[in-house]
């Protein structure tokens, strides 16, 4: 995830910015840059690590500057795309996604602005320049610019004409001001300046900070002064990296309100129910002609693929197969001459050896290939014909959480897009779907608000040695994912089953000491799931149901109910999975496990 810093003080800004950027390295990044406000703007950027920037940085005097670590979302991690972005005598760094940047960019190009990067951020620099030319007042220009932006942003900017000052503002992306001694900071997180000060002021959305070395003023977007309270944080550096959460996994679970939003931001058009997947090179004709999709993935990504199979078949009417990378590569799949196959490889890291090998094999069989990944420029993107990025930000916990829900989100978008192109759903249906998608971040927040109930449940069963997870239809992969998450971080043996399969064997293992988690959200298999719940109840199992808020019927059948908000049947896996992520997390916590780095596991599995 990108990181912003701004420094104004009495020390050389160059060293202060480099030190602060290093403190943000834990967030993950793939390019870096700084602008120092001397008598002119001195900017230096580099793809790769901060050390690469340091090795090319000239001596620069100057006591004010802004810096950025970029985690690519729009365009490759190149020097051109690295921040800061410049327009005339103005330099800008930005975190977030500007949803209306296409439209703004077209307008600016028409006015004669030239774009040097592929980023959404560059529109902010040019808008700021344009507005400054018109008003000749940098603060007015900054406010006017922020008003034009849709989406999320934390922005810091400097202007050559205004020495010793940084201006910063935010909406839906964090920004905090650090109050030092003879120096002040702006940053996307406290770690950036913690060694200088623990006195901070958090900006609220649509607030602006005007930062000088001995003074900070706050305003709203109309320019009216805002009174802000100073907070003293008692975090040490490690706490601050985790934003106060005990583990990265818990932080990443909480980030899902944001990461899911980032995945769909700018892609939904409620007006005509269309999905804008500009980055997809597949033509409408190719989409119409498809007669099969082959999904390839491993682990959690495979579980996302299992859900996608239902989506592509049900929504878009395309026959869909799925296999794990490690199995596909040793099969001898049969292709017919008139096959028109799209192969989709799903991998959060983009580096999983088995998935990449299977994708290469599908490509050599003549399939069109599409990679869905979180990491720009990862190996899989070089092999695939086409790539879609899930934009969930770096995930540092080994257990995949936010990348799973973002994978699902992009797969929903793809399935609805295919369905539209193939005339399988009408405008009203896709509009409803878009509305439901837009409600997801709020619904995820509701689940996070109920985490104490999930924690109590987890603690109650943290001593058991076996757990079962059951579900039908799209809740079957949710059950698999719930079991995978639990075994991975708590080391409890857990099995995920299609609920209808229990009676074909595993029922023999059910006792009064095997909790069974039943994903029982509303849908066409709900009644059947209730029957399966009764089967395990008859064997004295304790049943924990994941059920919808308004479902009171379920209380009659189960021992504990963990609630998810109401949503579309096809979207409910995203919500149910978050409940199961929290269940796994709190179980592992109660057992004192190493949650972020579980034994025997790695974040990227680059070996066969
Ligand atoms: O990077 P990928 O999505 O290709 O990784 C696949 C699996 O290794 C990964 O999902 C693994 O199962 C996670 N540890 C699950 O939490």
């Amino acid at each position: 995830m990108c990181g912003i810093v701004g420094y104004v003080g009495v020390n050389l800004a160059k060293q202060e910015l480099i030190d602060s950027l290093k403190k943000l390295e834990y967030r993950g990044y793939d390019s870096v840059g700084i602008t120092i406000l001397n008598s002119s703007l001195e900017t230096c950027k580099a793809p790769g690590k901060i050390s690469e920037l340091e090795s090319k940085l000239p001596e620069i005097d100057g006591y004010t500057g802004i810096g950025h670590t970029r985690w690519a979302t729009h365009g490759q991690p190149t020097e051109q795309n690295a921040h800061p972005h410049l327009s005339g005598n103005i330099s800008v760094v930005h975190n977030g996604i500007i949803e209306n940047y296409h439209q703004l960019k077209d307008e600016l190009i028409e006015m004669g602005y030239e774009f040097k990067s592929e980023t959404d951020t560059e529109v902010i620099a040019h808008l700021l320049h344009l507005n400054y030319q018109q008003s000749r007042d940098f603060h007015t220009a900054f406010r006017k610019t922020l008003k034009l932006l849709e989406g999320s942003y934390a922005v810091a900017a400097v202007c050559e004409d205004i020495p010793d000052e940084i201006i910063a503002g935010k909406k839906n992306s964090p920004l905090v001001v650090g109050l030092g001694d003879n120096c002040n900071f702006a940053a996307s997180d406290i770690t950036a300046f913690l060694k200088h000060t623990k006195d901070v002021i958090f900006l609220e959305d649509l607030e602006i900070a005007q930062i000088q070395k001995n003074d900070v003023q706050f305003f709203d977007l109309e320019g009216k002064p805002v009174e802000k309270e100073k907070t003293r944080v008692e975090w040490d550096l490690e706490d601050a990296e985790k934003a106060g959460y005990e583990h990265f996994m818990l932080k990443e679970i909480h980030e899902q309100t944001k990461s899911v939003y980032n995945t769909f931001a700018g892609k939904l058009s409620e007006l005509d129910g269309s999905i804008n997947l500009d980055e997809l090179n597949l033509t409408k004709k190719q989409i119409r002609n498809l007669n099969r999709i082959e999904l390839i993935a491993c682990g959690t990504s495979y579980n996302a693929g299992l859900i996608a199979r239902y989506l592509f078949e049900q929504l878009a009417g395309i026959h869909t197969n799925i296999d794990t990378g490690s199995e596909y590569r040793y099969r001898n799949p049969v292709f017919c001459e008139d096959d028109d196959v799209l192969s989709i490889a799903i991998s959060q890291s983009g580096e999983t050896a088995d998935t990449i090998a299977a994708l290469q094999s599908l490509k050599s069989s003549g399939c069109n290939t599409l990679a869905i990944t979180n990491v720009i420029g990862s190996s899989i993107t070089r092999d695939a014909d086409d790539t879609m990025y899930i934009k969930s930000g770096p995930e540092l916990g080994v257990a995949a959480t936010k990348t799973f829900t973002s994978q699902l989100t992009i797969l929903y978008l793809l399935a609805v897009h295919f369905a539209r192109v193939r005339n399988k759903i009408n405008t009203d249906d896709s509009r409803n779907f878009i509305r439901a998608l837009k409600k997801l971040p709020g619904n995820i927040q509701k689940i996070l608000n109920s985490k104490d109930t999930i924690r109590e449940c987890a603690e109650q069963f943290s001593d058991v040695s076996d757990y079962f997870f059951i579900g039908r239809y799209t809740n079957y992969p949710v059950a698999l994912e719930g079991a995978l998450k639990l075994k991975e971080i708590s080391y409890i043996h857990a099995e995920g089953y299609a609920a209808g399969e229990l009676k074909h064997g595993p029922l023999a293992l059910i006792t009064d000491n095997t909790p069974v988690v039943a994903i029982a959200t509303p849908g066409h298999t709900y009644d059947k799931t209730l029957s399966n719940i009764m089967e395990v109840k008859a064997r004295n199992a304790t049943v924990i149901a994941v059920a919808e808020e308004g479902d009171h019927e379920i209380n009659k059948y189960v021992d504990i109910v963990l609630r998810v908000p109401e949503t579309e049947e096809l979207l409910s896996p995203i919500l149910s999975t978050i409940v199961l992520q929290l269940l796994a997390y709190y179980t592992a916590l109660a057992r004192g496990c190493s949650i972020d780095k579980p034994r025997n596991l790695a974040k990227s599995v680059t070996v066969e």
Side-chain angles (χ1 to χ4, degrees):
M1 231 161 2
C2 306
I4 283 186
V5 295
Y7 170 84
V8 44
V10 289
N11 296 334
L12 283 179
K14 173 181 148 184
Q15 199 49 50
E16 292 296 338
L17 292 174
I18 293 290
D19 288 351
S20 292
L21 289 172
K22 282 184 179 164
K23 293 285 180 280
L24 298 179
E25 279 192 298
Y26 77 95
R27 296 160 68 99
Y29 68 105
D30 43 39
S31 56
V32 57
I34 60 173
T35 290
I36 309 277
L37 186 55
N38 206 351
S39 47
S40 61
L41 295 180
E42 308 245 16
T43 299
C44 190
K45 316 198 268 189
K49 296 290 161 202
I50 294 172
S51 53
E52 281 159 56
L53 177 73
E54 277 183 294
S55 67
K56 62 190 270 199
L57 259 178
E59 283 305 316
I60 315 176
D61 286 339
Y63 304 91
T64 303
I66 53 178
H68 192 266
T69 46
R70 172 173 187 254
W71 199 78
T73 59
H74 291 71
Q76 297 288 321
T78 58
E79 185 172 332
Q80 270 106 324
N81 288 333
H83 300 212
H85 290 284
L86 298 166
S87 187
N89 51 358
I90 288 165
S91 178
V92 170
V93 289
H94 160 233
N95 282 358
I97 295 178
I98 303 304
E99 286 178 27
N100 57 338
Y101 93 99
H102 278 301
Q103 181 206 326
L104 294 171
K105 186 170 176 175
D106 289 347
E107 289 167 14
L108 286 160
I109 289 173
E110 234 168 72
M111 286 178 216
Y113 280 94
E114 267 180 42
F115 279 75
K116 296 198 172 72
S117 76
E118 301 158 90
T119 64
D120 51 343
T121 303
E122 200 178 343
V123 298
I124 308 178
H126 293 317
L127 280 175
L128 203 44
H129 180 264
L130 175 73
N131 292 327
Y132 184 52
Q133 295 306 305
Q134 289 169 354
S135 65
R136 297 312 301 169
D137 179 80
F138 193 48
H139 294 177
T140 308
F142 193 74
R143 290 198 307 275
K144 195 167 171 197
T145 299
L146 295 197
K147 283 184 190 171
L148 296 169
L149 306 179
E150 288 170 19
S152 60
Y153 56 78
V155 183
V158 286
C159 174
E160 209 173 274
D161 301 343
I162 307 177
D164 306 326
E165 187 175 305
I166 298 166
I167 189 156
K170 72 153 246 148
K171 183 183 154 203
N172 293 330
S173 193
L175 193 66
V176 56
V177 170
L179 306 171
D181 199 7
N182 260 334
C183 62
N184 287 313
F185 300 83
S188 43
D189 89 50
I190 294 169
T191 47
F193 52 71
L194 205 57
K195 85 167 193 212
H196 289 278
T197 179
K198 292 190 170 191
D199 290 331
V200 304
I201 297 180
F202 293 97
L203 261 79
E204 297 299 328
D205 280 353
L206 308 181
E207 284 180 352
I208 289 173
Q210 178 191 344
I211 305 163
Q212 295 162 351
K213 112 179 134 189
N214 287 316
D215 187 34
V216 185
Q217 304 282 333
F218 298 90
F219 303 91
D220 66 13
L221 281 197
E222 303 311 319
K224 235 174 66 207
V226 177
E227 286 297 316
K228 302 282 296 173
E229 294 256 320
K230 176 169 92 177
T231 309
R232 187 160 179 86
V233 293
E234 297 303 342
W235 294 347
D236 61 20
L237 192 61
E238 203 187 318
D239 289 340
E241 284 181 353
K242 293 178 189 147
Y245 291 103
E246 206 171 335
H247 296 95
F248 281 113
M249 181 181 176
L250 189 62
K251 176 171 175 264
E252 285 154 7
I253 290 174
H254 279 76
E255 279 169 358
Q256 288 175 105
T257 50
K258 197 84 213 313
S259 52
V260 163
Y261 164 80
N262 284 344
T263 306
F264 68 63
K267 294 187 163 65
L268 308 179
S269 167
E270 206 173 318
L271 209 61
D272 64 356
S274 64
I275 310 280
N276 316 314
L277 301 180
D278 294 342
E279 69 267 54
L280 190 69
N281 292 317
L282 220 55
T283 63
K284 289 192 172 167
K285 186 165 173 231
Q286 283 174 308
I287 295 171
R288 280 190 206 103
N289 287 346
L290 283 180
N291 58 12
R292 200 164 89 222
I293 291 177
E294 293 280 349
L295 293 162
I296 295 292
C298 299
T300 288
S301 299
Y302 174 76
N303 294 335
L306 281 174
I307 294 173
R309 178 171 63 182
Y310 296 99
L311 306 178
F312 289 125
E313 294 196 335
Q314 176 163 331
L315 295 172
I318 308 172
H319 170 56
T320 304
N321 294 325
I322 175 158
D323 211 340
T324 59
S326 55
E327 283 304 310
Y328 185 86
R329 31 189 325 199
Y330 300 107
R331 275 171 49 197
N332 285 307
V334 179
F335 289 90
C336 305
E337 236 171 62
D338 56 353
D339 269 353
D340 221 320
V341 181
L342 172 65
S343 163
I344 306 179
I346 312 165
S347 171
Q348 59 81 22
S349 63
E351 301 295 346
T352 301
D354 286 323
T355 305
I356 293 175
L359 181 84
Q360 287 165 342
S361 149
L362 278 150
K363 194 172 177 180
S364 63
S365 306
C367 303
N368 243 311
T369 52
L370 166 65
I372 293 185
T373 185
N374 196 29
V375 183
I376 296 217
S378 53
S379 303
I380 208 163
T381 66
R382 294 194 285 277
D383 285 312
D385 300 313
D386 221 347
T387 298
M388 291 181 75
Y389 292 106
I390 59 174
K391 299 183 181 171
S392 44
E395 192 176 62
L396 303 184
V398 163
T401 52
K402 62 177 180 170
T403 52
F404 176 75
T405 48
S406 284
Q407 285 169 343
L408 284 184
T409 306
I410 207 96
L411 288 160
Y412 283 118
L413 299 182
L414 206 55
V416 174
H417 178 61
F418 285 2
R420 287 296 306 257
V421 173
R422 293 163 69 93
N423 283 327
K424 295 286 178 189
I425 58 171
N426 60 33
T427 308
D428 281 347
D429 286 343
S430 74
R431 264 198 209 121
N432 287 340
F433 204 76
I434 286 174
R435 282 187 201 119
L437 258 177
K438 284 185 171 172
K439 283 189 192 155
L440 276 176
N443 285 336
I444 292 171
Q445 189 56 53
K446 285 188 191 164
I447 295 173
L448 299 174
N449 295 346
S450 72
K451 64 183 177 211
D452 288 345
T453 315
I454 303 170
R455 183 179 189 149
E456 263 171 46
C457 174
E459 286 170 354
Q460 194 177 332
F461 301 103
S462 63
D463 286 339
V464 301
S465 47
D466 305 280
Y467 243 102
F468 276 77
F469 290 75
I470 59 170
R472 282 175 174 260
Y473 187 61
T474 52
N475 285 336
Y476 161 47
V478 174
L480 292 177
E481 178 57 13
L484 176 62
K485 219 74 314 168
L486 188 74
K487 59 188 141 195
E488 183 173 29
I489 59 166
S490 77
Y491 316 142
I492 293 179
H493 166 241
E495 300 268 5
Y497 266 96
E501 274 292 295
L502 279 186
K503 56 187 171 294
H504 299 292
L507 211 47
L509 292 173
I510 302 291
T511 69
D512 58 357
N513 209 23
T514 44
V516 176
V517 179
I519 298 96
T521 48
H524 65 289
T525 56
Y526 177 79
D527 290 338
K528 293 279 176 209
T529 307
L530 285 188
S531 310
N532 301 128
I533 288 174
M534 287 193 278
E535 280 168 8
V536 293
K537 279 303 295 171
R539 273 84 188 168
N540 299 319
T542 304
V543 179
I544 303 158
V546 177
E548 202 175 83
E549 264 161 10
D551 178 3
H552 303 300
E553 178 73 10
I554 195 84
N555 300 345
K556 297 185 204 154
Y557 300 90
V558 305
D559 302 279
I560 296 172
V561 188
L562 304 175
R563 298 288 178 183
V564 289
E566 189 186 332
T567 187
E568 288 280 320
E569 179 182 5
L570 284 176
L571 286 177
S572 69
I574 292 191
L575 301 179
S576 304
T577 301
I578 294 174
V579 173
L580 302 185
Q581 292 168 355
L582 287 164
L583 186 72
Y585 174 80
Y586 285 121
T587 306
L589 190 69
R591 290 164 69 90
C593 298
S594 161
I595 294 182
D596 284 332
K597 290 192 171 49
R599 70 185 179 210
N600 307 336
L601 299 180
K603 189 70 187 161
S604 289
V605 185
T606 52
V607 290
E608 230 191 284

